[in-house]
Amino acid sequence: MTFSKNESFSKDELEAWQLSHLKETLIRVFHLVPFYKKRFEEMGVRPEDIKTLADISKLPFTTKKNLRDNYPFGMFSVEMDQIVRVHSSSGTTGKPTVVGYTEHDMDIWAEVMGRVFTMGGLTCKDILHNATGYGLFTGGLGFHSAAERMKIAVIPSSTGFTSRQLLLLKDFGATAITGTPSFALHLAEKAKAEGYDIKKDFSLRVGFFGAEPASDGLKDEIANIWGIDYHEVYGLSEIIGPGVASSCKHSHLLHFNEDHFYPEIIDPKTGEVLAEGERGELVVTTLTKQGLPIIRYKTGDITSITRVPCRCGRTLCRIESIVGRSDDMLVINGVNVFPSQIEHVLAKVDDITLNYQIIANKKGHLDKLDIDVELSENCMSDDIGELTNLQKHIQHELLNALYINVTVHLVAPKSLKRSEGKAVRVIDKRK
Ligand code: DLL
């Protein structure tokens, strides 16, 4: 079952919809956002020059820096009296990026999130434990508002207070949960430590996880521990928040809501548009938004697009799970490595967990990569010889898969710092 008819558009219907909405958006930004008027004029392009979808490549890109330079509301295409919600990035470096929604945008957000929940089979009979951070972050409230509109009972638990969350999860009988994959693991670990019987004490059957990368191994692990269906949710505040794309029950690929967000894959170095199936940086143009319409936004997320039909019958294109960010890619002695690739390797090894931290450093002129990996509590061995063999085995697997020499340190269960939001997987001491 789909949430809306657009999800099964024919190719012609989709393209006609996209083109007409693209044209409307271009007129809107050209006349209402001085930043775009200037950029279009610099590039010698006007809205009426865009006659086909392929013409989109004539338009300028938008970057996070552009949003920061126009802080706080300079990129909005409406006055503040039409804005009903503001969110903002955490802004770890420099000024935060600020995003605003009109009532119409809130409807679009609820619409795409409705699609996400429907993929997981949620109805008003469900109880949703929303363990995604509330506040300026789009995650918590993004899930929350859409769930309310679908008349789903939503528990706004946010992150933190893990013991209390477990109590509420059990006593309120939540059937669905949201959160980051790393928090889902943390919650399971805490549940075991506090003596819960995960499969018996909780009523969860489905989870919606996102906001950070997770390998297929990690997704399967979370699904198995909790005994739930795992649905991935992808999104970013600049485009809308969670709900840009999500996975149905048939595969780990994510259906991309391309009737609202037009996707392209580009070569991050040259800006050239790549073909279907090729991996590159995801660039998104919003087609229906009013508050913050955005043209060719460089997400920094590396993925690929496929139009191979899905068994669920939805026809919108799909993306593979984010492989990494164009800017979190590590170059180790000339070899490009994404943290998610390391996680793929770790996920196949027994006796360890997927709690790990990657530390990039320099030794002389050469790059050096260390990975702290937590042993599983089920790893019974404390024999130095056996642990050394395990450590060597992981190093060997990483070398085989990624062509890099890594020093692995096996550390005690639960010794690495836990995060309640996005996990900090990489510390690059070379910077
Ligand atoms: O993380 C929105 C969100 C909240 C998505 C909850 C899903 C669930 P931002 O804080 O703006 O928004 O961060 C956006 O997070 O460009 C990706 O690099 C990363 N990201 C988001 N979802 C995924 C995912 C929210 N499913 C940035 N897999 C994006 C990998 C993800 N990375």
Side-chain angles (χ1 to χ4, degrees):
M1 198 185 74
T2 57
F3 185 74
S4 74
K5 68 171 180 29
N6 288 19
E7 288 174 274
S8 15
F9 262 161
S10 68
K11 186 170 181 284
D12 288 349
E13 281 171 329
L14 175 67
E15 289 180 0
W17 166 290
Q18 287 175 321
L19 187 59
S20 73
H21 284 88
L22 174 64
K23 286 179 174 174
E24 276 172 27
T25 300
L26 294 179
I27 292 169
R28 168 178 282 275
V29 298
F30 187 77
H31 295 289
L32 299 174
V33 185
F35 165 81
Y36 281 116
K37 188 169 180 34
K38 185 163 172 277
R39 290 288 283 129
F40 281 27
E41 281 174 355
E42 278 165 7
M43 294 191 67
V45 57
R46 291 185 61 85
E48 54 274 22
D49 297 334
I50 306 305
K51 297 195 170 66
T52 67
L53 288 169
D55 286 340
I56 203 166
S57 63
K58 296 178 183 161
L59 297 167
F61 292 115
T62 308
T63 63
K64 216 178 201 33
K65 180 171 185 306
N66 298 145
L67 288 169
R68 287 205 185 112
D69 290 348
N70 289 281
Y71 174 86
F73 307 137
M75 302 281 277
F76 290 9
S77 81
V78 296
E79 296 298 328
M80 282 309 281
D81 60 359
Q82 292 188 51
I83 294 288
V84 298
R85 174 80 71 77
V86 170
H87 281 286
S88 146
S89 73
S90 50
T92 37
T93 47
K95 285 199 181 130
T97 46
V98 180
V99 299
Y101 306 71
T102 62
E103 225 171 324
H104 161 87
D105 297 335
M106 295 304 289
D107 290 342
I108 304 284
W109 201 3
E111 153 80 26
V112 292
M113 283 304 301
R115 297 178 188 183
V116 174
F117 288 146
T118 304
M119 285 182 199
L122 288 204
T123 69
C124 60
K125 297 208 166 63
D126 281 290
I127 299 174
L128 178 69
H129 184 95
N130 192 13
T132 304
Y134 279 65
L136 285 170
F137 176 51
T138 49
L141 281 165
F143 283 117
H144 184 109
S145 307
E148 265 186 2
R149 291 230 195 159
M150 285 178 76
K151 311 220 182 310
I152 294 164
V154 45
I155 319 296
S157 44
S158 195
T159 53
F161 306 104
T162 320
S163 295
R164 197 183 62 189
Q165 296 227 18
L166 290 168
L167 182 90
L168 301 186
L169 256 180
K170 178 169 180 276
D171 293 347
F172 292 1
T175 52
I177 187 166
T178 76
T180 56
S182 50
F183 193 59
L185 269 189
H186 177 56
L187 214 52
E189 209 171 68
K190 192 86 177 182
K192 277 188 200 151
E194 295 193 0
Y196 287 97
D197 179 333
I198 295 192
K199 302 248 166 84
K200 282 208 191 110
D201 286 334
F202 304 109
S203 319
L204 290 177
R205 64 174 178 77
V206 60
F208 301 89
F209 305 104
E212 66 183 9
S215 60
D216 289 352
L218 180 57
K219 290 176 202 169
D220 293 342
E221 188 174 333
I222 292 170
N224 286 336
I225 295 178
W226 284 102
I228 56 175
D229 290 337
Y230 187 111
H231 289 267
E232 177 172 359
V233 186
Y234 167 76
L236 59 163
S237 7
E238 294 86 338
I239 300 305
I240 201 142
V244 174
S246 59
S247 60
C248 68
K249 65 176 181 191
H250 291 292
S251 87
H252 285 315
L253 296 174
L254 292 92
H255 291 272
F256 198 96
N257 289 310
E258 59 177 328
D259 51 336
H260 294 288
F261 317 117
Y262 185 84
E264 298 170 87
I265 299 292
I266 63 156
D267 177 328
K269 291 203 184 77
T270 62
E272 178 206 349
V273 179
L274 301 179
E276 184 188 326
E278 285 189 276
R279 237 179 219 175
E281 180 176 0
L282 175 69
V283 166
V284 184
T285 300
T286 62
L287 297 174
T288 49
K289 267 174 65 188
Q290 294 177 341
L292 179 70
I294 200 157
I295 307 299
R296 303 193 85 202
Y297 185 70
K298 291 186 75 182
T299 65
D301 293 322
I302 304 294
T303 182
S304 63
I305 293 179
T306 173
R307 292 201 175 271
V308 172
C310 180
R311 277 192 286 150
C312 72
R314 290 175 179 85
T315 54
L316 302 182
C317 70
R318 290 181 291 166
I319 56 168
E320 64 173 334
S321 278
I322 304 304
V323 187
R325 292 194 43 89
S326 57
D327 50 11
D328 84 354
M329 189 176 74
L330 291 160
V331 183
I332 303 297
N333 296 318
V335 181
N336 296 346
V337 184
F338 285 107
S340 59
Q341 293 175 303
I342 291 176
E343 200 184 282
H344 271 289
V345 174
L346 298 181
K348 292 192 194 121
V349 180
D350 290 336
D351 292 327
I352 57 168
T353 69
L354 289 178
N355 290 307
Y356 63 92
Q357 194 153 53
I358 302 165
I359 301 131
N361 217 332
K362 281 274 182 204
K363 190 174 182 193
H365 292 294
L366 289 179
D367 293 317
K368 184 176 178 311
L369 203 63
D370 288 81
I371 306 182
D372 293 347
V373 186
E374 269 188 19
L375 283 166
S376 149
E377 281 184 291
N378 302 332
C379 170
M380 303 307 278
S381 177
D382 55 5
D383 179 289
I384 300 284
E386 282 179 25
L387 291 178
T388 308
N389 283 343
L390 176 59
Q391 177 198 21
K392 283 192 180 148
H393 169 66
I394 304 171
Q395 290 177 174
H396 178 76
E397 292 298 301
L398 287 165
L399 181 62
N400 259 347
L402 307 173
Y403 311 111
I404 46 165
N405 278 305
V406 177
T407 309
V408 168
H409 309 270
L410 296 171
V411 300
K414 296 190 191 149
S415 57
L416 293 177
K417 195 167 176 287
R418 295 295 187 268
S419 73
E420 283 167 2
K422 303 189 189 211
V424 180
R425 297 292 195 202
V426 182
I427 300 175
D428 197 339
K429 296 186 171 167
R430 299 169 301 174
K431 287 180 181 161

